[in-house]
Amino acid sequence: MTSGAKKIRLADHRPLVLGASGRIGTGFQKLAQSGLWPGALPLWQFRSGSGQPDPDVLLWDILGQDLPKIDQCRGLIVLAGVVTGDLGLNTELALAAIDLAVQSGCGPVLLTSSSAVYGHQSGPLPETAQCDPVSAYGRAKLAMERAVLARLGSLGSVAPKICILRVGNVAGADNLLEKAALGPVKLDRFTDGLGPVRSYIGMQSLAQVMCGLIDIAHKNADLPVVLNVAAPVPVPMSALLQAAGLGWDWTPAPAGALPRLTLDTGLLQGLGLIAAGAGTPAELIRQAKLIGWNSR
């Protein structure tokens, strides 16, 4: 894509959130509206809108329009992606974000990937673990990561700082709580009598991590190229539902189901960007309520 749009000036060096209409983007907007955004309020990118001028909104079709000219941007938070349909668009969207960062000098670039790239491995999985995705979504996210790294290699000295975030389950934007709010869900029960344990993070904690990474980059410190993003302690799904006051039904775990799919967050903890108690069931539910989950 080539540039051709009017230059947009971001007062106070605000971050730009690409893909603000998705689940995480919507959650981030609710945090901002409640005065809980941990930093300068972002500029939110949408593909389309009312057309009314809004200093907080960038209307840009990422794959259908020229790159906008942006001045004084304080980092890109790339949430734009697809979970169904043409999953190859995840790569195209990420590469467009890299192009925008190069043109505007708007770094660092935080690219949202997924713990799904690891596949069905028990964990705790460090960033150096072999990636073996089993879902089409996980394979698409891994392809995106590899394409971005190849693009950075070709850019050389003009490459922006990037951090690929392999995000765990985000409480309040995940399928478990969404489905459970409509009625009891089924949880696998393993031979030890326990259910699945997974790595979760709350929406507020996720925003703090992302803003913290941007701050680190602007202090001229290096960012990890790949970073697991989740609370330090994994949570049993049954404990999360219990904290939310929701019911569930047990079902025998099928062959091949894993009791634990968890992330090693030592690298994230070393950066000082996540609180030790960020993953307790009560805290995860508290943060889910901040983004309106309990109103569903």
Side-chain angles (χ1 to χ4, degrees), residues 188-203:
D188 291 339
R189 194 173 209 167
F190 297 91
T191 55
D192 60 3
L194 302 177
V197 176
R198 298 294 184 263
S199 287
Y200 269 84
I201 191 168
M203 192 70 72

Side-chain angles (χ1 to χ4, degrees), residues 12-14 26 54 64 90 107 137 148 182 194 196-197 209 217 230-231 236 242 244 251 266-267 282:
D12 301 321
H13 298 273
R14 301 164 66 186
T26 299
D54 187 333
N90 287 295
Y137 178 72
V148 165
L182 302 176
L194 302 177
V197 176
V209 167
Q242 186 174 31
T251 185
L267 185 54

Side-chain angles (χ1 to χ4, degrees), residues 19-22 24-34 37 44 46 57:
S21 61
I24 294 177
T26 299
F28 281 178
Q29 289 179 73
K30 289 180 178 178
L31 290 178
Q33 291 162 3
S34 301
W37 183 261
W44 311 101
F46 299 96
V57 171

